[in-house]
C-alpha cells in the first residue's frame, strides 16, 4: 500500500513541501492567481503531483503535473477537506 504526503502551503516549512505529493492552500485567491500559483508550485516542487488551491468564490482550483486543470462548483471547498486529512 502506498501513501501520499499531503502538505499545506500556508503553514508548513520548506522541508515538508519538498517531500509533498500533494500541496494545497485554504487561503482564497482569484481563479487566475490560483491557476498561476499552482503552476509555480509545480515548477518549484518537482515531486509534487497535484496542487489544490481555494478560490475566492469557494471554487477549488486543481492543477496536476500531467497538465490537467480543473475548477469545480460542485465541491464546497476541497482544499478545506484536504486540510482535515493532515
Amino acid at each position: 500500500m502506498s501513501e501520499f504526503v499531503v502538505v499545506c502551503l500556508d503553514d508548513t516549512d520548506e522541508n515538508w513541501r519538498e517531500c509533498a505529493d500533494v500541496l494545497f492552500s485554504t487561503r482564497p485567491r482569484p481563479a487566475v492567481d490560483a491557476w498561476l500559483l499552482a503552476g509555480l508550485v509545480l515548477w518549484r516542487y518537482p515531486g509534487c503531483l497535484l496542487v489544490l488551491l481555494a478560490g475566492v468564490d469557494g471554487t477549488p482550483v486543481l492543477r496536476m503535473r500531467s497538465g490537467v486543470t480543473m475548477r469545480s462548483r460542485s465541491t464546497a471547498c476541497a482544499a478545506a477537506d484536504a486540510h482535515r486529512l493532515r
Side-chain angles (χ1 to χ4, degrees), residues 25-31 52-61 71-81:
S25 173
T26 57
R27 192 180 110 204
R29 294 174 174 81
L52 182 63
L53 304 173
V56 289
D57 60 356
T59 303
V61 175
R71 290 191 61 191
S72 171
R73 295 198 184 277
S74 63
T75 306
C77 187
D81 292 338

Side-chain angles (χ1 to χ4, degrees), residues 9-53:
L9 284 166
D10 300 329
D11 59 4
T12 316
D13 69 342
E14 186 68 13
N15 291 334
W16 278 107
R17 291 180 193 166
E18 290 176 354
C19 297
D21 299 303
V22 177
L23 285 163
F24 72 96
S25 173
T26 57
R27 192 180 110 204
R29 294 174 174 81
V32 172
D33 292 349
W35 186 83
L36 291 171
L37 177 60
L40 290 173
V41 168
L42 288 171
W43 175 80
R44 171 65 183 91
Y45 302 103
C48 178
L49 302 173
L50 183 142
V51 179
L52 182 63
L53 304 173

Side-chain angles (χ1 to χ4, degrees), residues 58-70:
T59 303
V61 175
L62 178 135
R63 201 162 170 187
M64 299 175 70
R65 183 157 302 283
S66 65
V68 172
T69 301
M70 182 186 323

